[in-house]
Amino acid sequence: MAGKEVLIVYASQEPKSLNGSFKTMTVEELKKQGCTVTVSDLYEMQFEPRTTRKDIVGDLYNPDHFNYGTEAWKAYENGCLTEDLIEEQKKVNKADLVIFQFPLYWFSMPAILKGWMDRVLVQGFAHDFPKCFDSGLLKNKLALLSFTTGGDEEIYSKKGPSGNIRYLLWPMQHGILHFCGFSVLSPQICFASEYVTEEKRKQMLTSWVKRLQTIWEEKPIQCVPEWYFGVI
């Protein structure tokens, strides 16, 4: 939709991977729609995933006992976060939709992406209790997880050895995105992407592009425990 702003936070080392192709085709399709698209390519940026004292410019709020959450919160309030974090927060502020594109690692996101969450979505910027979940500071923005898995869909079924894929989404979609106020769209999941045929990978890409053509018409999921752990 013309005039919409989209941020893609991309966490894959290989441009020729399916994740790389998803990122490229997402940019192309959304630009066709007249959207402004920004990409944070975390590996290319050599984004620092660790939360450290270096994230705060100037004096600490409590130099006698370093607490990252408190220090980042106070630094945000005082405009004393490092430039890399300020830039990422500006991108999020502009975005109507944030798409996270990544391969699933150990039932979660890659460390570099988790570090982005830890360092960018700080208190005061993304949440500020009791301003969380439906009242989170990033409400009125959409978020979507798009990722690949090593296992097939059966492995990530309710009766499979890994359990229902929705169980894994609880900490990522609910514990991070919904906590910060995002309205969460259904995830785009490509199962066993390294083991399927080339034709199947092409179908995955085609299906995603088709979805993007109507992405602005989608309704967010009901971000409640029943969506993840039981039938609504």
Side-chain angles (χ1 to χ4, degrees), residues 178-227:
H178 185 209
F179 185 86
C180 293
F182 282 108
S183 295
V184 181
L185 298 179
S186 294
Q188 185 75 17
I189 307 170
C190 294
F191 291 99
S193 60
E194 293 184 17
Y195 304 103
V196 298
T197 64
E198 185 61 29
E199 183 59 32
K200 179 62 176 176
R201 280 191 284 273
K202 287 179 181 177
Q203 289 174 9
M204 290 174 173
L205 286 165
T206 301
S207 175
W208 172 236
V209 171
K210 185 176 180 181
R211 181 183 175 188
L212 286 172
Q213 290 168 356
T214 57
I215 197 74
W216 302 107
E217 300 169 18
E218 289 189 16
K219 300 295 183 184
I221 66 168
Q222 296 181 46
C223 223
V224 293
E226 290 80 6
W227 189 90

CSV table of all heavy atoms in Angstrom, one decimal, residues 178-227:
chain,number,residue,atom,x,y,z
A,178,HIS,N,4.4,-8.8,21.4
A,178,HIS,CA,3.1,-8.3,22.0
A,178,HIS,C,3.3,-7.5,23.2
A,178,HIS,O,2.6,-6.6,23.5
A,178,HIS,CB,2.2,-9.5,22.2
A,178,HIS,CG,0.8,-9.2,22.7
A,178,HIS,ND1,0.1,-10.0,23.6
A,178,HIS,CD2,0.1,-8.1,22.5
A,178,HIS,CE1,-1.0,-9.4,23.9
A,178,HIS,NE2,-1.1,-8.3,23.2
A,179,PHE,N,4.3,-7.9,24.0
A,179,PHE,CA,4.7,-7.2,25.2
A,179,PHE,C,5.0,-5.7,24.9
A,179,PHE,O,4.6,-4.8,25.7
A,179,PHE,CB,5.9,-7.8,25.9
A,179,PHE,CG,6.2,-7.2,27.3
A,179,PHE,CD1,5.6,-7.6,28.4
A,179,PHE,CD2,7.2,-6.2,27.3
A,179,PHE,CE1,5.9,-7.1,29.7
A,179,PHE,CE2,7.5,-5.6,28.6
A,179,PHE,CZ,6.8,-6.0,29.7
A,180,CYS,N,5.6,-5.5,23.8
A,180,CYS,CA,5.9,-4.1,23.4
A,180,CYS,C,4.8,-3.4,22.7
A,180,CYS,O,5.0,-2.3,22.3
A,180,CYS,CB,7.2,-4.1,22.5
A,180,CYS,SG,8.7,-4.7,23.3
A,181,GLY,N,3.7,-4.1,22.5
A,181,GLY,CA,2.5,-3.4,22.0
A,181,GLY,C,2.2,-3.7,20.5
A,181,GLY,O,1.2,-3.4,20.0
A,182,PHE,N,3.1,-4.4,19.8
A,182,PHE,CA,2.9,-4.8,18.4
A,182,PHE,C,1.6,-5.6,18.3
A,182,PHE,O,1.3,-6.5,19.1
A,182,PHE,CB,4.1,-5.6,17.9
A,182,PHE,CG,5.3,-4.9,17.5
A,182,PHE,CD1,6.4,-5.0,18.3
A,182,PHE,CD2,5.4,-4.1,16.4
A,182,PHE,CE1,7.6,-4.4,18.0
A,182,PHE,CE2,6.5,-3.4,16.0
A,182,PHE,CZ,7.7,-3.6,16.8
A,183,SER,N,0.9,-5.4,17.2
A,183,SER,CA,-0.1,-6.3,16.7
A,183,SER,C,0.6,-7.3,15.9
A,183,SER,O,1.3,-6.9,14.9
A,183,SER,CB,-1.2,-5.5,15.9
A,183,SER,OG,-1.9,-4.6,16.8
A,184,VAL,N,0.4,-8.6,16.2
A,184,VAL,CA,1.2,-9.6,15.6
A,184,VAL,C,0.4,-10.3,14.5
A,184,VAL,O,-0.7,-10.9,14.7
A,184,VAL,CB,1.7,-10.7,16.6
A,184,VAL,CG1,2.5,-11.7,16.0
A,184,VAL,CG2,2.5,-10.0,17.8
A,185,LEU,N,1.0,-10.3,13.3
A,185,LEU,CA,0.4,-11.1,12.2
A,185,LEU,C,0.8,-12.6,12.2
A,185,LEU,O,1.9,-12.9,12.8
A,185,LEU,CB,0.8,-10.5,10.8
A,185,LEU,CG,0.3,-9.0,10.6
A,185,LEU,CD1,0.8,-8.5,9.2
A,185,LEU,CD2,-1.2,-8.9,10.7
A,186,SER,N,0.1,-13.4,11.6
A,186,SER,CA,0.4,-14.8,11.6
A,186,SER,C,1.8,-15.0,11.0
A,186,SER,O,2.2,-14.4,10.1
A,186,SER,CB,-0.5,-15.6,10.7
A,186,SER,OG,-1.8,-15.6,11.3
A,187,PRO,N,2.6,-15.9,11.6
A,187,PRO,CA,4.0,-16.1,11.1
A,187,PRO,C,4.0,-16.8,9.7
A,187,PRO,O,3.1,-17.5,9.3
A,187,PRO,CB,4.6,-17.1,12.2
A,187,PRO,CG,3.4,-17.8,12.7
A,187,PRO,CD,2.3,-16.8,12.7
A,188,GLN,N,5.1,-16.5,9.0
A,188,GLN,CA,5.3,-17.2,7.7
A,188,GLN,C,6.4,-18.2,8.0
A,188,GLN,O,7.6,-17.8,8.3
A,188,GLN,CB,5.8,-16.2,6.7
A,188,GLN,CG,5.9,-16.7,5.3
A,188,GLN,CD,4.6,-17.0,4.6
A,188,GLN,OE1,3.5,-16.5,5.1
A,188,GLN,NE2,4.5,-17.8,3.6
A,189,ILE,N,6.1,-19.5,7.9
A,189,ILE,CA,7.0,-20.5,8.3
A,189,ILE,C,7.3,-21.4,7.1
A,189,ILE,O,6.4,-21.9,6.4
A,189,ILE,CB,6.5,-21.4,9.4
A,189,ILE,CG1,6.0,-20.5,10.6
A,189,ILE,CG2,7.5,-22.4,9.9
A,189,ILE,CD1,5.2,-21.2,11.7
A,190,CYS,N,8.6,-21.6,6.8
A,190,CYS,CA,9.1,-22.5,5.7
A,190,CYS,C,9.7,-23.7,6.4
A,190,CYS,O,10.9,-23.6,6.9
A,190,CYS,CB,10.0,-21.8,4.8
A,190,CYS,SG,9.3,-20.4,3.9
A,191,PHE,N,9.0,-24.8,6.4
A,191,PHE,CA,9.5,-26.0,7.1
A,191,PHE,C,10.6,-26.7,6.2
A,191,PHE,O,10.4,-26.9,5.0
A,191,PHE,CB,8.4,-27.0,7.4
A,191,PHE,CG,7.4,-26.4,8.5
A,191,PHE,CD1,6.2,-25.8,8.1
A,191,PHE,CD2,7.8,-26.6,9.8
A,191,PHE,CE1,5.3,-25.4,9.1
A,191,PHE,CE2,6.9,-26.1,10.8
A,191,PHE,CZ,5.7,-25.5,10.4
A,192,ALA,N,11.6,-27.2,6.9
A,192,ALA,CA,12.7,-28.0,6.3
A,192,ALA,C,13.2,-27.5,5.0
A,192,ALA,O,13.4,-28.2,4.0
A,192,ALA,CB,12.1,-29.4,6.1
A,193,SER,N,13.4,-26.2,5.0
A,193,SER,CA,13.7,-25.5,3.7
A,193,SER,C,15.0,-26.0,3.0
A,193,SER,O,15.1,-25.9,1.8
A,193,SER,CB,13.9,-24.0,3.9
A,193,SER,OG,14.9,-23.7,4.9
A,194,GLU,N,15.9,-26.5,3.8
A,194,GLU,CA,17.2,-27.0,3.2
A,194,GLU,C,17.0,-28.4,2.6
A,194,GLU,O,17.9,-28.9,1.9
A,194,GLU,CB,18.3,-27.0,4.2
A,194,GLU,CG,18.7,-25.7,4.7
A,194,GLU,CD,19.9,-25.7,5.7
A,194,GLU,OE1,20.6,-26.8,5.7
A,194,GLU,OE2,20.1,-24.7,6.4
A,195,TYR,N,15.9,-29.1,2.9
A,195,TYR,CA,15.8,-30.5,2.5
A,195,TYR,C,14.7,-30.7,1.5
A,195,TYR,O,14.6,-31.8,1.0
A,195,TYR,CB,15.5,-31.3,3.8
A,195,TYR,CG,16.6,-31.2,4.8
A,195,TYR,CD1,16.3,-30.4,5.9
A,195,TYR,CD2,17.8,-31.7,4.7
A,195,TYR,CE1,17.3,-30.2,6.9
A,195,TYR,CE2,18.8,-31.5,5.6
A,195,TYR,CZ,18.6,-30.8,6.7
A,195,TYR,OH,19.5,-30.6,7.7
A,196,VAL,N,13.9,-29.7,1.1
A,196,VAL,CA,12.9,-29.9,0.1
A,196,VAL,C,13.5,-29.6,-1.3
A,196,VAL,O,14.6,-29.2,-1.4
A,196,VAL,CB,11.7,-28.9,0.4
A,196,VAL,CG1,11.1,-29.2,1.7
A,196,VAL,CG2,12.2,-27.5,0.4
A,197,THR,N,12.7,-29.9,-2.3
A,197,THR,CA,13.1,-29.7,-3.6
A,197,THR,C,13.2,-28.2,-4.0
A,197,THR,O,12.6,-27.4,-3.3
A,197,THR,CB,12.2,-30.4,-4.6
A,197,THR,OG1,10.9,-29.8,-4.5
A,197,THR,CG2,12.0,-31.9,-4.3
A,198,GLU,N,13.9,-28.0,-5.1
A,198,GLU,CA,14.0,-26.6,-5.5
A,198,GLU,C,12.7,-26.1,-5.9
A,198,GLU,O,12.3,-24.9,-5.7
A,198,GLU,CB,15.0,-26.5,-6.7
A,198,GLU,CG,15.2,-25.1,-7.2
A,198,GLU,CD,15.9,-24.2,-6.2
A,198,GLU,OE1,16.6,-24.7,-5.3
A,198,GLU,OE2,15.7,-23.0,-6.2
A,199,GLU,N,11.8,-26.9,-6.5
A,199,GLU,CA,10.5,-26.5,-6.9
A,199,GLU,C,9.7,-26.1,-5.7
A,199,GLU,O,8.9,-25.2,-5.7
A,199,GLU,CB,9.8,-27.7,-7.6
A,199,GLU,CG,8.4,-27.4,-8.1
A,199,GLU,CD,8.4,-26.2,-9.1
A,199,GLU,OE1,9.4,-26.0,-9.8
A,199,GLU,OE2,7.4,-25.5,-9.1
A,200,LYS,N,9.8,-26.9,-4.6
A,200,LYS,CA,9.1,-26.6,-3.3
A,200,LYS,C,9.6,-25.2,-2.8
A,200,LYS,O,8.7,-24.4,-2.3
A,200,LYS,CB,9.3,-27.7,-2.3
A,200,LYS,CG,8.6,-27.5,-1.0
A,200,LYS,CD,7.1,-27.4,-1.1
A,200,LYS,CE,6.5,-27.3,0.3
A,200,LYS,NZ,5.0,-27.1,0.1
A,201,ARG,N,10.9,-24.9,-2.8
A,201,ARG,CA,11.4,-23.7,-2.4
A,201,ARG,C,10.8,-22.5,-3.2
A,201,ARG,O,10.5,-21.5,-2.7
A,201,ARG,CB,12.9,-23.6,-2.4
A,201,ARG,CG,13.5,-24.3,-1.2
A,201,ARG,CD,15.0,-24.0,-1.1
A,201,ARG,NE,15.8,-24.8,-2.1
A,201,ARG,CZ,16.2,-26.0,-2.0
A,201,ARG,NH1,16.0,-26.7,-0.8
A,201,ARG,NH2,16.9,-26.7,-2.9
A,202,LYS,N,10.7,-22.7,-4.5
A,202,LYS,CA,10.1,-21.7,-5.4
A,202,LYS,C,8.6,-21.5,-5.0
A,202,LYS,O,8.1,-20.3,-5.0
A,202,LYS,CB,10.2,-22.1,-6.8
A,202,LYS,CG,11.6,-22.0,-7.4
A,202,LYS,CD,11.6,-22.5,-8.9
A,202,LYS,CE,13.0,-22.4,-9.4
A,202,LYS,NZ,13.1,-22.9,-10.8
A,203,GLN,N,7.9,-22.6,-4.6
A,203,GLN,CA,6.5,-22.4,-4.2
A,203,GLN,C,6.4,-21.6,-2.9
A,203,GLN,O,5.5,-20.9,-2.7
A,203,GLN,CB,5.9,-23.8,-4.0
A,203,GLN,CG,5.7,-24.6,-5.3
A,203,GLN,CD,5.2,-26.0,-5.1
A,203,GLN,OE1,4.9,-26.4,-3.9
A,203,GLN,NE2,5.2,-26.8,-6.1
A,204,MET,N,7.4,-21.9,-2.0
A,204,MET,CA,7.4,-21.1,-0.7
A,204,MET,C,7.5,-19.6,-1.0
A,204,MET,O,6.9,-18.8,-0.4
A,204,MET,CB,8.6,-21.6,0.1
A,204,MET,CG,8.4,-23.0,0.7
A,204,MET,SD,9.9,-23.5,1.6
A,204,MET,CE,9.3,-25.0,2.3
A,205,LEU,N,8.4,-19.3,-1.9
A,205,LEU,CA,8.6,-17.8,-2.3
A,205,LEU,C,7.4,-17.3,-3.0
A,205,LEU,O,7.0,-16.1,-2.7
A,205,LEU,CB,9.8,-17.7,-3.2
A,205,LEU,CG,11.2,-17.9,-2.5
A,205,LEU,CD1,12.3,-18.1,-3.6
A,205,LEU,CD2,11.5,-16.6,-1.7
A,206,THR,N,6.8,-18.0,-3.9
A,206,THR,CA,5.6,-17.6,-4.6
A,206,THR,C,4.5,-17.3,-3.6
A,206,THR,O,3.7,-16.3,-3.7
A,206,THR,CB,5.2,-18.6,-5.7
A,206,THR,OG1,6.3,-18.8,-6.6
A,206,THR,CG2,4.0,-18.1,-6.4
A,207,SER,N,4.3,-18.3,-2.7
A,207,SER,CA,3.2,-18.1,-1.7
A,207,SER,C,3.4,-16.9,-0.8
A,207,SER,O,2.5,-16.2,-0.5
A,207,SER,CB,3.2,-19.4,-0.8
A,207,SER,OG,2.3,-19.3,0.2
A,208,TRP,N,4.7,-16.6,-0.5
A,208,TRP,CA,5.0,-15.4,0.3
A,208,TRP,C,4.7,-14.1,-0.4
A,208,TRP,O,4.0,-13.2,0.1
A,208,TRP,CB,6.4,-15.5,0.8
A,208,TRP,CG,6.9,-14.2,1.5
A,208,TRP,CD1,8.0,-13.5,1.1
A,208,TRP,CD2,6.4,-13.6,2.7
A,208,TRP,NE1,8.2,-12.5,2.0
A,208,TRP,CE2,7.3,-12.5,3.0
A,208,TRP,CE3,5.4,-13.9,3.5
A,208,TRP,CZ2,7.1,-11.7,4.1
A,208,TRP,CZ3,5.2,-13.1,4.6
A,208,TRP,CH2,6.0,-12.0,4.9
A,209,VAL,N,5.1,-14.1,-1.7
A,209,VAL,CA,4.8,-12.9,-2.5
A,209,VAL,C,3.3,-12.7,-2.6
A,209,VAL,O,2.8,-11.5,-2.5
A,209,VAL,CB,5.5,-13.0,-3.8
A,209,VAL,CG1,5.1,-11.8,-4.8
A,209,VAL,CG2,7.0,-12.9,-3.7
A,210,LYS,N,2.6,-13.7,-2.8
A,210,LYS,CA,1.1,-13.6,-3.0
A,210,LYS,C,0.6,-13.1,-1.7
A,210,LYS,O,-0.4,-12.3,-1.7
A,210,LYS,CB,0.5,-15.0,-3.3
A,210,LYS,CG,-0.9,-15.0,-3.6
A,210,LYS,CD,-1.5,-16.3,-4.0
A,210,LYS,CE,-3.0,-16.3,-4.3
A,210,LYS,NZ,-3.5,-17.6,-4.7
A,211,ARG,N,1.1,-13.6,-0.5
A,211,ARG,CA,0.6,-13.1,0.8
A,211,ARG,C,0.9,-11.6,0.9
A,211,ARG,O,0.0,-10.8,1.4
A,211,ARG,CB,1.2,-13.9,1.9
A,211,ARG,CG,0.7,-13.4,3.3
A,211,ARG,CD,1.4,-14.2,4.4
A,211,ARG,NE,0.9,-13.6,5.7
A,211,ARG,CZ,1.4,-13.9,6.9
A,211,ARG,NH1,2.3,-14.8,7.0
A,211,ARG,NH2,0.9,-13.3,8.0
A,212,LEU,N,2.0,-11.2,0.5
A,212,LEU,CA,2.4,-9.8,0.6
A,212,LEU,C,1.5,-8.8,-0.1
A,212,LEU,O,1.3,-7.7,0.3
A,212,LEU,CB,3.9,-9.5,0.2
A,212,LEU,CG,5.0,-10.0,1.1
A,212,LEU,CD1,6.3,-9.9,0.4
A,212,LEU,CD2,5.0,-9.3,2.4
A,213,GLN,N,0.9,-9.4,-1.2
A,213,GLN,CA,0.0,-8.5,-2.0
A,213,GLN,C,-1.3,-8.1,-1.3
A,213,GLN,O,-1.9,-7.1,-1.6
A,213,GLN,CB,-0.3,-9.3,-3.3
A,213,GLN,CG,0.9,-9.4,-4.2
A,213,GLN,CD,0.7,-10.4,-5.4
A,213,GLN,OE1,-0.4,-11.1,-5.4
A,213,GLN,NE2,1.6,-10.5,-6.2
A,214,THR,N,-1.6,-8.9,-0.2
A,214,THR,CA,-2.8,-8.5,0.6
A,214,THR,C,-2.4,-8.4,2.1
A,214,THR,O,-3.3,-8.4,2.9
A,214,THR,CB,-3.9,-9.6,0.4
A,214,THR,OG1,-3.4,-10.9,0.8
A,214,THR,CG2,-4.4,-9.6,-1.0
A,215,ILE,N,-1.1,-8.2,2.4
A,215,ILE,CA,-0.7,-8.1,3.8
A,215,ILE,C,-1.4,-7.1,4.6
A,215,ILE,O,-1.6,-7.2,5.8
A,215,ILE,CB,0.8,-8.0,3.8
A,215,ILE,CG1,1.4,-8.4,5.2
A,215,ILE,CG2,1.3,-6.6,3.5
A,215,ILE,CD1,1.4,-9.8,5.5
A,216,TRP,N,-1.7,-5.9,3.9
A,216,TRP,CA,-2.3,-4.8,4.7
A,216,TRP,C,-3.8,-5.0,5.0
A,216,TRP,O,-4.4,-4.3,5.8
A,216,TRP,CB,-2.1,-3.5,3.9
A,216,TRP,CG,-0.7,-3.2,3.6
A,216,TRP,CD1,0.0,-3.4,2.4
A,216,TRP,CD2,0.3,-2.9,4.6
A,216,TRP,NE1,1.3,-3.1,2.6
A,216,TRP,CE2,1.6,-2.7,3.9
A,216,TRP,CE3,0.3,-2.6,5.9
A,216,TRP,CZ2,2.7,-2.4,4.5
A,216,TRP,CZ3,1.5,-2.2,6.6
A,216,TRP,CH2,2.7,-2.1,5.9
A,217,GLU,N,-4.3,-6.1,4.4
A,217,GLU,CA,-5.7,-6.4,4.7
A,217,GLU,C,-5.9,-7.5,5.9
A,217,GLU,O,-6.9,-7.7,6.3
A,217,GLU,CB,-6.4,-7.0,3.5
A,217,GLU,CG,-6.4,-6.0,2.3
A,217,GLU,CD,-6.8,-6.7,1.0
A,217,GLU,OE1,-7.4,-7.8,1.1
A,217,GLU,OE2,-6.5,-6.2,-0.1
A,218,GLU,N,-4.7,-8.0,6.3
A,218,GLU,CA,-4.8,-9.1,7.3
A,218,GLU,C,-5.1,-8.6,8.7
A,218,GLU,O,-4.8,-7.4,9.0
A,218,GLU,CB,-3.4,-9.8,7.4
A,218,GLU,CG,-3.1,-10.6,6.2
A,218,GLU,CD,-1.8,-11.5,6.4
A,218,GLU,OE1,-1.4,-11.6,7.5
A,218,GLU,OE2,-1.3,-12.0,5.4
A,219,LYS,N,-5.8,-9.4,9.4
A,219,LYS,CA,-6.1,-9.1,10.8
A,219,LYS,C,-5.0,-9.8,11.7
A,219,LYS,O,-4.6,-10.9,11.4
A,219,LYS,CB,-7.5,-9.7,11.2
A,219,LYS,CG,-8.6,-9.1,10.4
A,219,LYS,CD,-8.8,-7.6,10.6
A,219,LYS,CE,-9.9,-7.0,9.9
A,219,LYS,NZ,-10.1,-5.6,10.0
A,220,PRO,N,-4.6,-9.2,12.8
A,220,PRO,CA,-3.6,-9.8,13.7
A,220,PRO,C,-4.2,-11.0,14.4
A,220,PRO,O,-5.4,-11.2,14.5
A,220,PRO,CB,-3.3,-8.7,14.7
A,220,PRO,CG,-3.8,-7.4,14.1
A,220,PRO,CD,-4.9,-7.8,13.1
A,221,ILE,N,-3.3,-11.9,14.8
A,221,ILE,CA,-3.8,-13.0,15.6
A,221,ILE,C,-4.3,-12.6,17.0
A,221,ILE,O,-4.0,-11.5,17.4
A,221,ILE,CB,-2.6,-14.1,15.8
A,221,ILE,CG1,-1.5,-13.5,16.7
A,221,ILE,CG2,-2.1,-14.5,14.5
A,221,ILE,CD1,-0.5,-14.5,17.2
A,222,GLN,N,-5.0,-13.5,17.6
A,222,GLN,CA,-5.4,-13.2,19.0
A,222,GLN,C,-4.3,-13.6,19.9
A,222,GLN,O,-4.0,-14.8,20.1
A,222,GLN,CB,-6.7,-14.0,19.3
A,222,GLN,CG,-7.9,-13.7,18.6
A,222,GLN,CD,-9.1,-14.5,19.0
A,222,GLN,OE1,-9.4,-14.7,20.2
A,222,GLN,NE2,-9.8,-15.0,18.0
A,223,CYS,N,-3.5,-12.6,20.3
A,223,CYS,CA,-2.3,-12.9,21.1
A,223,CYS,C,-2.6,-13.3,22.5
A,223,CYS,O,-2.4,-12.5,23.4
A,223,CYS,CB,-1.3,-11.7,21.0
A,223,CYS,SG,0.4,-12.3,20.7
A,224,VAL,N,-3.2,-14.4,22.7
A,224,VAL,CA,-3.6,-14.9,24.0
A,224,VAL,C,-3.1,-16.4,24.2
A,224,VAL,O,-2.8,-17.0,23.2
A,224,VAL,CB,-5.1,-14.9,24.2
A,224,VAL,CG1,-5.7,-13.5,24.2
A,224,VAL,CG2,-5.8,-15.7,23.1
A,225,PRO,N,-3.0,-16.9,25.4
A,225,PRO,CA,-2.4,-18.2,25.6
A,225,PRO,C,-3.1,-19.3,24.7
A,225,PRO,O,-2.5,-20.2,24.3
A,225,PRO,CB,-2.6,-18.5,27.1
A,225,PRO,CG,-2.5,-17.1,27.7
A,225,PRO,CD,-3.2,-16.2,26.7
A,226,GLU,N,-4.4,-19.1,24.6
A,226,GLU,CA,-5.2,-20.2,23.8
A,226,GLU,C,-4.7,-20.3,22.4
A,226,GLU,O,-4.7,-21.4,21.8
A,226,GLU,CB,-6.7,-19.8,23.8
A,226,GLU,CG,-7.3,-20.0,25.2
A,226,GLU,CD,-7.1,-18.8,26.1
A,226,GLU,OE1,-6.5,-17.8,25.7
A,226,GLU,OE2,-7.5,-18.9,27.3
A,227,TRP,N,-4.2,-19.2,21.8
A,227,TRP,CA,-3.7,-19.3,20.4
A,227,TRP,C,-2.5,-20.2,20.3
A,227,TRP,O,-2.3,-20.9,19.3
A,227,TRP,CB,-3.4,-17.9,19.9
A,227,TRP,CG,-3.1,-17.9,18.4
A,227,TRP,CD1,-4.0,-17.7,17.4
A,227,TRP,CD2,-1.8,-18.1,17.7
A,227,TRP,NE1,-3.3,-17.7,16.1
A,227,TRP,CE2,-2.0,-18.0,16.3
A,227,TRP,CE3,-0.5,-18.3,18.2
A,227,TRP,CZ2,-1.0,-18.1,15.4
A,227,TRP,CZ3,0.5,-18.5,17.3
A,227,TRP,CH2,0.3,-18.4,15.9
